[in-house]
Amino acid sequence: MPCFRRRPLAVLAAACLAAVPLVSAAAEDTQDAAERRIAGVVFTAYNKMLESKFAVDIASKDDQGNQAKALAEYESLSRFHVKTDRLEIVTMPEGTWVKAEEGGWTRSPAEMAAMVKQFVPKSAAELQMSSSNLKDEGPTTWQGKPAHAYSYDTRLQVMGADVKAHNKVVIDASGRIVRSESEGESLGHASHSTQDIRYDDAIRIAPPKG
């Protein structure tokens, strides 16, 4: 709203001050609408991933120089196979099996449940409730094909620890998340991780042999 010089000073000041909250409210409404739109895109894509058969290549590094890699394959959220540098886990409705660096497969004891749970992705609703500062990062490419990037912050409880992270996801032209990158902080330590996601209807999870 323009403030014209010919108006008396008091009227001028009142007019200008009155305009401020109106502009701020409009800006907030615009920001809220943008975040709702981005949330719709991001969490629809996330839900589409959870409803698919998919595999995730995970690489992480913390501020102490520790590095880790893992491969996780999901036939569904209750049927998955995770292989890390130190152990291997198969989880199915029938039970959970664990294989350490040395030795064979053993049926998982109850106390392993918390560890196994960390490999179960949050639901789209849970993740959305823990997210803020959603932003459109613009067009990008993934494996030479058009894609779009978005970012958001999360604050979650993972195995009893408070984990804060800034996340960037890449969504392909079919509306599926194909990459996620996170800068996290937990228990006073920082970490960086990447997750490359591929979709494969041939994934089948079965009880381990041997």
Side-chain angles (χ1 to χ4, degrees):
M1 181 183 293
C3 299
F4 298 104
R5 293 182 179 178
R6 293 183 181 178
R7 295 183 181 181
L9 187 58
V11 176
L12 178 65
C16 289
L17 289 172
V20 172
L22 294 176
V23 172
S24 298
E28 287 179 4
D29 286 346
T30 301
Q31 180 64 24
D32 287 346
E35 287 208 8
R36 286 195 298 271
R37 178 187 64 79
I38 296 167
V41 173
V42 171
F43 298 113
T44 295
Y46 183 79
N47 206 45
K48 184 178 288 189
M49 179 187 76
L50 298 186
E51 293 174 347
S52 304
K53 296 177 182 179
F54 65 99
V56 188
D57 286 303
I58 306 164
S60 63
K61 182 178 181 179
D62 66 19
D63 55 7
Q64 304 297 305
N66 299 308
Q67 299 185 52
K69 291 185 178 181
L71 170 63
E73 294 180 309
Y74 294 85
E75 183 177 347
S76 70
L77 298 188
S78 62
R79 302 177 73 91
F80 59 87
H81 179 192
V82 178
K83 187 173 184 179
T84 75
D85 300 330
R86 297 183 176 181
L87 56 83
E88 203 168 345
I89 300 170
V90 171
T91 290
M92 306 172 63
E94 300 92 317
T96 295
W97 294 262
V98 177
K99 182 180 180 182
E101 286 180 288
E102 297 179 1
W105 289 97
T106 60
R107 198 72 177 255
S108 173
E111 56 265 27
M112 294 284 287
M115 186 195 71
V116 172
K117 190 176 180 181
Q118 71 176 307
F119 295 107
V120 181
K122 299 285 186 181
S123 71
E126 286 178 300
L127 187 61
Q128 186 167 355
M129 287 179 62
S130 305
S131 301
S132 61
N133 300 323
L134 290 97
K135 295 180 181 179
D136 186 334
E137 300 291 348
T140 185
T141 59
W142 174 250
Q143 297 182 343
K145 296 180 180 179
H148 207 98
Y150 299 89
S151 66
Y152 58 96
D153 297 331
T154 53
R155 188 163 189 166
L156 300 164
Q157 287 287 317
V158 179
M159 295 185 70
D162 186 37
V163 179
K164 297 184 291 184
H166 178 69
N167 311 279
K168 181 178 178 181
V169 295
V170 176
I171 297 177
D172 69 8
S174 65
R176 303 181 306 180
I177 296 177
V178 290
R179 181 176 172 84
S180 176
E181 189 169 352
S182 300
E183 297 288 346
E185 181 182 339
S186 178
L187 301 175
H189 292 287
S191 63
H192 175 83
S193 67
T194 59
Q195 299 184 4
D196 292 330
I197 301 155
R198 57 182 171 82
Y199 297 85
D200 186 353
D201 286 337
I203 291 175
R204 297 288 186 275
I205 306 302
K209 297 178 180 180

